[in-house]
Amino acid sequence: MQDMAASLSLAIALVLVCGCDTSETGDSTLMRQIDHHIVGGAGGNTGRLGDVLDPNNGGVQAQVALGDKALLDRAVAAAKAAQPAWAAVNPQRRARVMFEYKRLVEANMDELAQMLSAEHGKVIADAKGDIQRGLEVVEFCCGIPHVLKGEYTQGAGPGIDVYSMRQPLGIGVGITPFNFPAMIPLWMGAVATAVGNAFILKPSERDPSVPVRLAELFLEAGMPEGIFQVVHGDKEMVDAILDHPDIAAVSFVGSSDIAHYVYERGVRAGKRVQAMGGAKNHGIVMPDADLDQVVSDLTGAAFGSAGERCMALPVVVPVGEDTAQRLRDKLVPAIEALRVGVSTDPDAHYGPVVTQAHKEKVEGWIAKCADEGAELVVDGRGFTLQGHEKGFFVGPTLFDHVTPEMESYKEEIFGPVLQIVRAPDFETALELPSRHQYGNGVAIFTRNGHAAREFAARVNVGMVGINVPIPVPVAYHTFGGWKRSAFGDTNQHGMEGVKFWTKVKTVTARWPDGSPDGGNAFVIPTMG
């Protein structure tokens, strides 16, 4: 396997030439190179470079070469050449690659987490969680022979048997966001390749190093060349992907506006598309809830990873004024005790946001919410960290008396901001997430089983937590929201993921015994 990886390195395109910068001046202190897994040789880059920033200090730590259609064409050609043989490999052997891959990722966990943390800004523990949640889908794929089994009916008609089989689509692409540079590529790529497809990953250009390292580990695990590749780029690359005639399916995670664009353009080009968008998840707090547990859950769900999660919990809905006041009294000291630090600080609860532009966007939403009349209880604007004054830090922020008419409530802030929207009763609390434009996740905190059951059955949201603040399903279930949180008919991972990355072929078989059919060949077949 080492020889294979070495030979591949002679035929891959260099995409990152990085000056690792831990200063605030942008001076390069160390040069490193990260290779890009395109089988077909160098070239095809636009000559344009994207900066990879250090969120802790604000400097440029790397530059990523942005690919173009020619680079994508090389990747597709390599995938097209390799995919038929990979699809013909029996499922057990493909599963063995997944087993070995899981072992390798676990063995390199510290390296991957540090790399992820350095480019995204997540604290190390959170970065490891990012990787682990992706690995859980790899674990699911270790059982791919079982889930690929088709259906069989013996004697569906006189001497007739019917059976079905799941077959790969051919070439699939994943377009993934900056906030989960390990988890979401693994959600997509592991299932897509385990069922026999070739897969091309277009990760975010903001934190591109971990996806490249994941591709290297797939090669080391025994994945054939051309089956898991990485192309970097911006909108030019995305459009090339959506228009390419040899790409059968595209899976996307990002903002809702872009998700809608990806879905519409990809479907017009005849592709199968799943496009996951934004979110505004609510946490309903009933009067009987354990408020100490709720506060613990809320601080982690609202502020963990600096709020840069589509399953964050940025809205809390206490039911009744007494509940609201008791919750607020407990929330304020808990929020003020949060520690914001550099991503390598083991005592930090969360680190910086990903870019200066995103910091300004989040702080703009804080100003907007205050201007709309909400009560700013804890203001995180202007937060600085000694020695890291140019880092992209936003302090934890809490608003109370937010109303559904406010734009800051309607839109996704995607930062460390928690909004309290007070509800007088259960029905009002139920309506808030149900009527919101997003429908990704929701949680209810209660000791009342009837209230929880009623809420779960009636709420118009795709994923529900009962005393679980971030209800991301386990890998053998499926992930997906409703309304503007998802476009397409199929969810991520689990059996929904297997269905997305495969197509069903149904065979009706008859072995004649030599008897004449009595002229029935001209009548539509029935099984009577």
Side-chain angles (χ1 to χ4, degrees), residues 172-212:
V173 172
I175 303 172
T176 58
F178 74 86
N179 59 323
F180 285 100
M183 181 183 79
I184 295 176
L186 290 176
W187 280 10
M188 298 175 183
V191 181
T193 55
V195 301
N197 295 294
F199 180 77
I200 299 169
L201 173 64
K202 205 301 286 183
S204 171
E205 60 272 29
R206 296 178 186 175
D207 44 11
S209 296
V210 167
V212 170

Side-chain angles (χ1 to χ4, degrees), residues 269-466:
K271 303 185 191 317
R272 182 178 291 185
V273 181
Q274 58 179 193
M276 307 298 170
K280 192 78 172 191
N281 304 326
H282 294 57
I284 312 304
V285 182
M286 298 297 289
D288 67 336
D290 180 343
L291 290 189
D292 290 331
Q293 184 63 54
V294 170
V295 168
S296 177
D297 288 343
L298 281 176
T299 51
F303 302 110
S305 196
E308 294 174 319
R309 296 170 175 158
C310 69
M311 289 297 285
L313 199 60
V315 177
V316 58
V317 184
V319 176
E321 287 300 315
D322 178 68
T323 307
Q325 193 58 50
R326 288 188 295 119
L327 178 65
R328 172 172 163 163
D329 290 345
K330 289 178 178 290
L331 263 176
V332 171
I335 290 172
E336 291 176 339
L338 290 175
R339 179 184 175 99
V340 183
V342 294
S343 58
T344 54
D345 181 355
D347 296 321
H349 292 102
Y350 72 87
V353 298
V354 69
T355 63
Q356 177 65 25
H358 190 60
K359 174 183 176 178
E360 292 170 1
K361 179 181 178 181
V362 172
E363 292 187 339
W365 276 118
I366 296 172
K368 173 74 171 177
C369 190
D371 290 343
E372 290 178 314
E375 180 187 357
L376 181 53
V377 182
V378 180
D379 189 351
R381 292 172 296 178
F383 180 93
T384 58
L385 199 62
Q386 186 175 2
H388 302 271
E389 285 78 6
K390 293 185 180 180
F392 310 137
F393 297 96
V394 180
T397 297
L398 176 66
F399 280 99
D400 196 359
H401 301 288
V402 176
T403 67
E405 294 74 30
M406 296 178 180
E407 286 297 313
S408 58
Y409 165 79
K410 295 177 183 178
E411 300 297 334
E412 183 178 37
I413 295 176
F414 218 61
V417 180
L418 178 61
Q419 297 174 306
I420 299 175
V421 181
R422 300 185 178 212
D425 51 46
F426 174 82
E427 289 297 329
T428 304
L430 175 67
E431 287 180 3
L432 286 167
S434 295
R435 292 185 176 181
H436 202 280
Q437 65 169 329
Y438 297 118
N440 212 39
V442 68
I444 183 169
F445 301 93
T446 182
R447 293 183 173 97
N448 187 311
H450 173 73
R453 186 174 185 272
E454 185 80 358
F455 183 84
R458 293 173 56 194
V459 71
N460 186 26
V461 172
M463 291 173 283
V464 181
I466 298 173

